[in-house]
Amino acid sequence: MSIPAQAWDHHHALMENIINSLPALEREYLSKGVAIPTALEEKEMIHHIATELQLNEAKIPVFTEAGLPAGEHVSANLAVRDLLEGDFIDEPDLGMDQDLPDSADPQNERAWMGGKTGPTSQGFRHMFFAGMEFQSPLQTLQIPFHAIGQAPSHYEKLHALSQRFFKEGNVFWGTRTLLWSLHIMQDLHQPFHVTQIPTLKMVPWHTLFSHFIARTTQAIANYHYAYEGLILEYVREARTNSFHECFEVKEAKPLAHIEDVIQNTRTHSEKIGQATYAVFGNELTNPEVNLPENKGQMDYYALIHSKEDLELQKDEAKDLPESELALIKKQLERVNALKQLRLVTCDLMRSMSEYTWGELDRAFHYPSTSNSSNSGK
């Protein structure tokens, strides 16, 4: 049951909302200057990090060369905010965890989480399925039954590396690797990355005796992509649809254990699974639809702009044929499911924002007394 890993396809959009929220106004460290390494220094460090963490070195961009016309150079200093709002947060999705040697996957978890090659081969480092709980087997059904995924340990390694850089006074690499670890933390706020089957309604049971695993994998992947596409549409329009309020938090929370994120997300998974199914129906179980391979189209913009006055339309349409009334009722159910999906996802976005600020504050010692008692482990 090889599940592709996409998760928050544009972390940059998430960070943009977090960094432009109210907590940013009181954090002076965002304006702090950061010394930028030369291209040679950067390449040497990339080689060192890739060797230590078993990353695909060729897929890690050289910041001081990317997108620059010949003869131009990056400024010797950039502000912390510039680094946070840049592309570093999305670098783990550019291939550093793809096409790795078998030594990086001693448990052969890629066989269940996206395969060994191609974009989906990063899945084992971006997801974690805790295993089937026999006291609630239907709610935690997964294949295989045991825990799989390196995301927690990968997060810890990236986080420890970032702390080491900051202690050495290397703010550029401390910030960059911190953003890589935050990427994994944010991935684990995606319900489909901690629960293999968020609701059994997504399973095409009619195929039980005919290609069941393959069809189930395809269906779950469709709902996975559809959920992310829908939420990305909310995030992109956050300032016009009030979704930006989901990133406004009153407190920052340094992350004590990455397992706290996983457990919190799992508690939201079933609600999000139910709402996702209610929004998209059983259309995504159709074998002709394969969203990861761009087979089938979803109009997310039209969905989130569904009319909110369908109840009124229903009251005014008493004389309509039963078939039209049924359609209005179905549309109303979809609007209500969208509201539920947005509400529950908003809780996850707040948690993500609290932990993001907590980790940034700890790295940059803000406030100076808040970091002394928590080591981050």
Side-chain angles (χ1 to χ4, degrees):
M1 192 156 182
S2 186
I3 302 294
Q6 193 70 14
W8 313 135
D9 191 19
H10 298 275
H11 288 253
H12 179 272
L14 300 175
M15 284 298 293
E16 186 176 60
N17 279 279
I18 293 172
I19 299 303
N20 287 286
S21 61
L22 291 175
L25 298 177
E26 58 191 44
R27 285 163 167 80
E28 295 182 0
Y29 65 75
L30 294 176
S31 300
K32 179 180 178 180
V34 181
I36 306 301
T38 66
L40 179 60
E41 292 171 336
E42 188 179 355
K43 289 177 182 178
E44 291 176 347
M45 186 60 74
I46 286 174
H47 176 73
H48 174 76
I49 294 173
T51 302
E52 179 179 344
L53 299 184
Q54 288 190 283
L55 304 176
N56 187 335
E57 181 178 347
K59 297 291 184 72
I60 303 176
V62 179
F63 172 69
T64 50
E65 292 180 347
L68 293 176
E72 292 192 18
H73 302 281
V74 174
S75 169
N77 285 278
L78 289 175
V80 170
R81 177 187 286 274
D82 295 328
L83 301 183
L84 300 181
E85 291 185 324
D87 295 329
F88 292 147
I89 190 71
D90 278 315
E91 286 184 337
D93 278 342
L94 300 182
M96 67 171 68
D97 295 317
Q98 298 171 15
D99 304 313
L100 299 178
D102 289 345
S103 59
D105 179 23
Q107 303 300 318
N108 195 29
E109 293 172 308
R110 289 176 295 179
W112 306 99
M113 308 187 78
K116 293 186 177 183
T117 61
T120 61
S121 64
Q122 70 184 33
F124 77 123
R125 283 187 169 175
H126 294 238
M127 299 188 288
F128 179 76
F129 300 135
M132 198 165 99
E133 300 171 4
F134 289 96
Q135 66 272 26
S136 54
L138 295 180
Q139 290 78 15
T140 60
L141 179 64
Q142 72 170 63
I143 300 174
F145 297 152
H146 60 80
I148 53 173
Q150 288 187 7
S153 60
H154 192 46
Y155 166 84
E156 293 291 353
K157 290 176 183 178
L158 290 169
H159 187 268
L161 180 61
S162 173
Q163 287 187 314
R164 195 169 79 208
F165 278 127
F166 275 114
K167 288 180 180 178
E168 294 171 353
N170 192 332
V171 180
F172 174 82
W173 276 107
T175 303
R176 189 171 181 178
T177 52
L178 175 61
L179 287 167
W180 293 357
S181 71
L182 290 177
H183 179 110
I184 304 302
M185 180 272 286
Q186 291 178 359
D187 273 357
L188 292 173
H189 276 85
Q190 213 285 36
F192 285 85
H193 273 229
V194 298
T195 307
Q196 199 176 72
I197 304 177
T199 174
L200 292 175
K201 291 181 179 180
M202 295 177 177
V203 177
W205 294 108
H206 61 282
T207 67
L208 186 58
F209 301 105
S210 177
H211 308 292
F212 180 65
I213 295 296
R215 289 287 302 280
T216 299
T217 300
Q218 182 177 340
I220 297 298
N222 283 338
Y223 287 107
H224 181 160
Y225 271 60
Y227 170 68
E228 288 181 7
L230 182 67
I231 298 306
L232 180 59
E233 194 67 41
Y234 276 120
V235 172
R236 283 173 168 166
E237 298 184 26
R239 291 290 166 179
T240 58
N241 62 25
S242 300
F243 199 69
H244 71 281
E245 295 174 2
C246 302
F247 300 93
E248 298 287 357
V249 295
K250 296 181 179 179
E251 61 176 325
K253 292 182 179 179
L255 184 55
H257 304 284
I258 192 63
E259 288 77 14
D260 295 341
V261 171
I262 296 169
Q263 185 57 40
N264 179 55
T265 305
R266 281 173 67 87
T267 63
H268 290 73
S269 294
E270 186 173 6
K271 289 181 180 178
I272 284 179
Q274 295 277 5
T276 299
Y277 182 84
V279 169
F280 296 102
N282 64 359
E283 299 169 13
L284 298 183
T285 64
N286 185 332
E288 300 300 317
V289 178
N290 193 325
L291 299 185
E293 296 184 6
N294 296 315
K295 296 178 181 178
Q297 298 293 325
M298 293 285 118
D299 192 342
Y300 304 115
Y301 180 88
L303 272 174
I304 69 172
H305 290 281
S306 299
K307 292 182 179 179
E308 301 278 335
D309 61 347
L310 286 171
E311 189 68 64
L312 179 61
Q313 291 182 34
K314 181 181 177 182
D315 292 339
E316 294 177 346
K318 296 178 181 179
D319 297 329
L320 289 176
E322 284 295 324
S323 59
E324 293 187 33
L325 285 173
L327 180 59
I328 291 176
K329 181 180 179 181
K330 185 176 181 179
Q331 290 173 328
L332 181 61
E333 290 173 350
R334 176 173 283 183
V335 168
N336 289 333
L338 276 168
K339 290 179 180 178
Q340 175 70 4
L341 194 62
R342 172 184 169 131
L343 181 65
V344 181
T345 302
C346 195
D347 286 342
L348 290 174
M349 294 297 173
R350 288 195 183 96
S351 170
M352 180 192 303
S353 300
E354 289 172 345
Y355 285 131
T356 297
W357 281 119
E359 291 307 301
L360 289 173
D361 289 352
R362 178 157 56 195
F364 291 98
H365 304 289
Y366 172 86
S368 59
T369 57
S370 68
N371 304 288
S372 57
S373 61
N374 196 330
S375 66
K377 294 296 180 183

